[in-house]
Amino acid sequence: MPALPALDSFDLAILDILQRDNTTPQRAIAQAVHLSAPAVQRRIQRLQQTGVIRANVAVIDPEKVGLPLTIMVEVHLENERPDRTAPLRSRIAAEGAVQQCYSVTGEADYLLVVNVASMADYEALTRRLFEGDDNVRRFRTSVSLGCLKAGLQVPLGGGGPA
Amino acid sequence: MPALPALDSFDLAILDILQRDNTTPQRAIAQAVHLSAPAVQRRIQRLQQTGVIRANVAVIDPEKVGLPLTIMVEVHLENERPDRTAPLRSRIAAEGAVQQCYSVTGEADYLLVVNVASMADYEALTRRLFEGDDNVRRFRTSVSLGCLKAGLQVPLGGGGPA
DNA sequence: TCTGAAATTTTACATCA
DNA sequence: TGATGTAAAATTTCAGA
């Protein structure tokens, strides 16, 4: 991946459009940012090659694909050493229902955002993730009542039981 | 928005491709799911009209646009009544740095995920969001040390100080 | 930057369930 | 009636000058 040569205001303007709607024709983008269409095309290509644009994806409504529950899980560990956390991280990576997973400072060690079809599925998920792992001290569950802002991906039969 | 007529396995297969890469040519999708390109096109159009596909976006790497810090904020309120929370929700909506905001059950009332350039910017953000709001009892900050899974949007000069 | 070729998306129409 | 497939038209993307 090539080094990224400092983004200028044109790049930022293009990114701002693409992150809202990446189906916007380059011609329309060109007009909006006052550049020619080929210039826009060159910049987009470079933004992708340098990894500024990490991916182009469709955002799916979890509710409409049978996953009405969004749940936040705070995980508290005994030990943060990589070799002690590796098994858990591996299980997290394997669970499609886990949309996001951050390693964090503060009281908790991990914060997960998961999408599931039911509380029964959620309980099964927590058993698969945490049960029998001595390094997991405890976890705290917060069920989402709705989101004011969000945009992420959804597992479609690829992960745990949907 | 028309009612959604139960997704079949074709729809799920198409969604599974699009949520990974929505630049995949319809011809390639058609071949993968064993349908014709126009059939795929019609299904995609219907998925968008029914809101199953909420948006088509470019995923931007926050670090590469000058926002290296991802921070989780738990907000504890005095009162959850909509008329008491409306001002805060309005400020949250206006801050581009706030990537995600969920209303949650449990100890906290809101969970925010924000992207900022520096801790100074973060402190300025918390002042704008919380200072002077009697309904905000307290908030708890967790700085992300890295994410194992994630995909979301980034503010590009539209929100707070970048 | 502009122009032209290649590819893709989109539409129209006939067919089948 | 609704959905699919084939073929053609309109855009868009991409390479060359």
Side-chain angles (χ1 to χ4, degrees):
Chain A
M1 185 145 60
L4 77 165
L7 308 174
D8 62 16
S9 63
F10 286 114
D11 291 318
L12 292 177
I14 291 169
L15 288 172
D16 199 28
I17 292 172
L18 291 180
Q19 81 166 340
R20 283 185 229 289
D21 180 7
N22 70 354
T23 66
T24 310
Q26 295 173 353
R27 185 174 44 75
I29 298 174
Q31 186 176 333
V33 303
H34 304 297
L35 238 57
S36 72
V40 170
Q41 136 80 337
R42 285 278 174 207
R43 284 168 179 268
I44 291 175
Q45 194 172 29
R46 200 190 50 177
L47 290 168
Q48 286 175 336
Q49 286 171 349
T50 55
V52 178
I53 295 177
R54 196 187 289 176
N56 288 286
V57 304
V59 179
I60 294 166
D61 188 331
E63 292 188 21
K64 302 240 167 124
V65 294
L67 302 171
L69 288 179
T70 299
I71 299 177
M72 282 70 183
V73 193
E74 252 189 40
V75 184
H76 300 248
L77 302 176
E78 292 289 352
N79 193 313
E80 296 182 54
R81 267 171 44 205
D83 60 305
R84 294 291 309 276
T85 60
L88 174 61
R89 294 216 307 268
S90 167
R91 289 195 298 278
I92 287 172
E95 290 287 348
V98 180
Q99 300 291 326
Q100 304 174 59
C101 174
Y102 294 92
S103 164
V104 297
T105 65
E107 296 182 26
D109 295 297
Y110 285 109
L111 179 68
L112 280 59
V113 180
V114 308
N115 266 119
V116 290
S118 65
M119 284 311 280
D121 281 356
Y122 175 65
E123 288 177 26
L125 174 67
T126 59
R127 276 197 295 276
R128 289 197 301 277
L129 285 176
F130 307 131
E131 204 171 56
D133 189 327
D134 291 341
N135 198 38
V136 175
R137 186 146 48 89
R138 67 185 192 85
F139 63 93
R140 201 182 79 177
T141 299
S142 296
V143 178
S144 170
L145 301 171
C147 71
L148 289 72
K149 283 188 175 185
L152 34 96
Q153 294 182 327
V154 171
L156 298 163
Chain B
M1 188 145 59
L4 78 164
L7 308 174
D8 62 17
S9 63
F10 286 114
D11 291 318
L12 291 177
I14 293 170
L15 288 172
D16 200 27
I17 293 172
L18 290 181
Q19 81 166 343
R20 284 187 229 288
D21 181 7
N22 71 354
T23 66
T24 311
Q26 294 174 353
R27 182 175 46 76
I29 299 173
Q31 187 175 333
V33 303
H34 304 296
L35 238 57
S36 70
V40 170
Q41 201 277 344
R42 283 188 284 263
R43 282 170 179 270
I44 292 175
Q45 191 173 28
R46 200 188 49 178
L47 290 168
Q48 288 174 333
Q49 286 171 348
T50 56
V52 178
I53 295 176
R54 197 186 289 176
N56 289 288
V57 305
V59 179
I60 294 167
D61 189 332
E63 292 188 22
K64 302 238 168 128
V65 294
L67 301 171
L69 289 178
T70 299
I71 299 177
M72 282 70 182
V73 193
E74 252 188 41
V75 184
H76 300 249
L77 302 177
E78 293 289 351
N79 192 312
E80 297 182 55
R81 268 170 44 203
D83 60 305
R84 292 292 307 276
T85 61
L88 174 62
R89 295 217 308 270
S90 166
R91 288 196 298 277
I92 288 171
E95 290 286 348
V98 180
Q99 299 292 326
Q100 305 174 57
C101 174
Y102 295 93
S103 164
V104 297
T105 64
E107 296 182 27
D109 295 297
Y110 285 108
L111 179 68
L112 279 58
V113 180
V114 307
N115 266 119
V116 290
S118 66
M119 284 311 279
D121 280 356
Y122 175 65
E123 288 178 25
L125 174 66
T126 59
R127 275 197 294 277
R128 288 197 301 277
L129 285 176
F130 307 132
E131 203 171 58
D133 190 327
D134 291 341
N135 198 40
V136 176
R137 186 146 47 89
R138 67 187 193 86
F139 63 93
R140 202 182 77 177
T141 299
S142 296
V143 178
S144 170
L145 300 171
C147 72
L148 290 72
K149 285 188 174 183
L152 33 95
Q153 294 182 322
V154 171
L156 298 160

